[in-house]
Amino acid sequence: MSSQMERFNESLVGRYTIEREIGRGGMATVYLATDQKHGRQVAVKVILPSIAYSISGERFLREIEIAARLAHPNILPLLDSGQANGFLYHVTPYMEGETLGKRLKRERELPIADSVQIAREIADALDYAHSEGIVHRDVKPENIILSRGHALIADFGVARAIEVGGGESLTETGIVLGTPAYMSPEQASAERSLDGRSDIYSLACVVYEMLGGEPPLMGRTSVATMARRLNESPTSLRVVRQSVHPGMEEVVHKALSRLPADRYGRANEFADALAATLSGAATPAARRVDAPPVKPSFWAELKRRKVYSVGAVYVVVAWLLVQIADTAFQ
């Protein structure tokens, strides 16, 4: 047991007994623990010291209490929160299963029907939270838990609580809240007044990854990724995976619009549009069902196959010379 874990365990005597570390993310370390009062296993998430040092514990706990009021079958509930011996923590049920992130690492792309089901359940949770005035701000595969055939979203309100608790001090220390691979353009540009459409963009990034194998507009660094979000449009999903319905591609790309006003207004609208394309029904955004498949360009096909070797370069040059020769003799 690490010294940090031992100190934290000592501060929770009589309430929780820490058993082992089960996860670590950009904002917290997660421990499996026993709730001594109720005799059940729980997940205790401890805010990283580098972040906790920069935020007001009182403001953090006050803000996270708001998120604790959320009650929805696809939202992992918040059971408890507190401050002990300098540690800030919150407690959720321990769920059997795995995160969507782990499943994607194992399978890379998911079946289309599974992707739509997961999106619909998470969208319903987001839609409910948005109606209560709460934006998640960190929708990503690692915060989506797959348990007993259903998807649940975790850490509602945590990013907002850290932001409110930290204020300007977080900016001064260079701490970035959220995950660049799934950030909306407005979140990447550090806008404070985010609404539900930011979460819709993040969920669309997750859907794009479930269908295409990686999030859209990825760069070599976090900064490069955020810059691409502000200046570029995603690669067509059907270039990456031709089995994606033409209408589904349009639905996902609409949700990935750079301007919030061009996206769906509600998460459930996005999910319903996805489901309509799965059943083959027409959607306002979709092309005709019998439209010919999108043929990838020569360069897009090279990129999809990751052909970057020196030998491949010679092949490309030879191909271009043949095309030039054919043109000259016509």
Side-chain angles (χ1 to χ4, degrees), residues 70-325:
L70 295 176
H72 186 279
N74 298 108
I75 293 178
L76 189 67
L78 184 69
L79 302 177
D80 191 14
S81 60
Q83 189 171 18
N85 198 21
F87 294 99
L88 280 173
Y89 67 92
H90 56 287
V91 182
T92 66
Y94 173 69
M95 304 298 296
E96 295 288 346
E98 65 178 348
T99 67
L100 175 59
K102 286 185 178 179
R103 182 175 176 186
L104 284 170
K105 286 180 180 178
R106 185 176 66 251
E107 300 180 25
R108 189 171 169 80
E109 297 98 356
L110 303 191
I112 292 175
D114 287 6
S115 302
V116 173
Q117 179 190 348
I118 292 168
R120 293 190 74 178
E121 293 185 335
I122 298 305
D124 197 53
L126 291 173
D127 199 78
Y128 160 72
H130 296 162
S131 71
E132 298 293 316
I134 299 177
V135 179
H136 191 287
R137 296 169 181 256
D138 197 20
V139 178
K140 59 183 179 180
E142 288 70 23
N143 277 338
I144 295 174
I145 299 171
L146 307 178
S147 179
R148 299 186 179 183
H150 293 284
L152 299 89
I153 187 161
D155 284 0
F156 243 111
V158 175
R160 170 65 179 171
I162 291 175
E163 180 181 308
V164 171
E168 296 298 326
S169 62
L170 286 180
T171 304
E172 293 171 0
T173 55
I175 295 173
V176 177
L177 297 179
T179 306
Y182 307 94
M183 275 187 184
S184 67
E186 59 270 30
Q187 190 175 7
S189 52
E191 290 187 20
R192 291 275 183 167
S193 56
L194 302 177
D195 61 26
R197 293 172 296 181
S198 179
D199 282 347
I200 292 172
Y201 184 99
S202 299
L203 178 58
C205 288
V206 174
V207 174
Y208 190 104
E209 182 176 8
M210 288 192 289
L211 296 173
E214 66 175 21
L217 298 169
M218 291 297 289
R220 291 182 179 274
T221 65
S222 296
V223 173
T225 296
M226 291 190 284
R228 293 192 69 191
R229 291 282 156 84
L230 296 171
N231 297 291
E232 300 179 35
S233 298
T235 301
S236 166
L237 255 178
R238 300 197 71 216
V239 167
V240 180
R241 185 172 177 179
Q242 289 194 5
S243 59
V244 171
H245 189 284
M248 183 172 292
E249 175 192 65
E250 299 244 349
V251 168
V252 174
H253 281 262
K254 177 179 172 66
L256 288 171
S257 297
R258 270 174 279 176
L259 291 177
D262 291 335
R263 299 174 205 150
Y264 294 94
R266 293 180 53 189
N268 274 342
E269 290 178 15
F270 173 40
D272 290 345
L274 279 176
T277 64
L278 184 64
S279 63
T283 65
R287 292 189 289 266
R288 296 193 317 139
V289 173
D290 60 350
V294 176
K295 182 178 180 181
S297 69
F298 178 76
W299 297 107
E301 182 65 14
L302 283 180
K303 182 177 180 181
R304 185 181 76 83
R305 294 176 181 273
K306 294 182 170 60
V307 181
Y308 297 119
S309 67
V310 174
V313 173
Y314 287 132
V315 171
V316 173
V317 173
W319 182 85
L320 289 173
L321 290 174
V322 169
Q323 300 303 309
I324 293 170

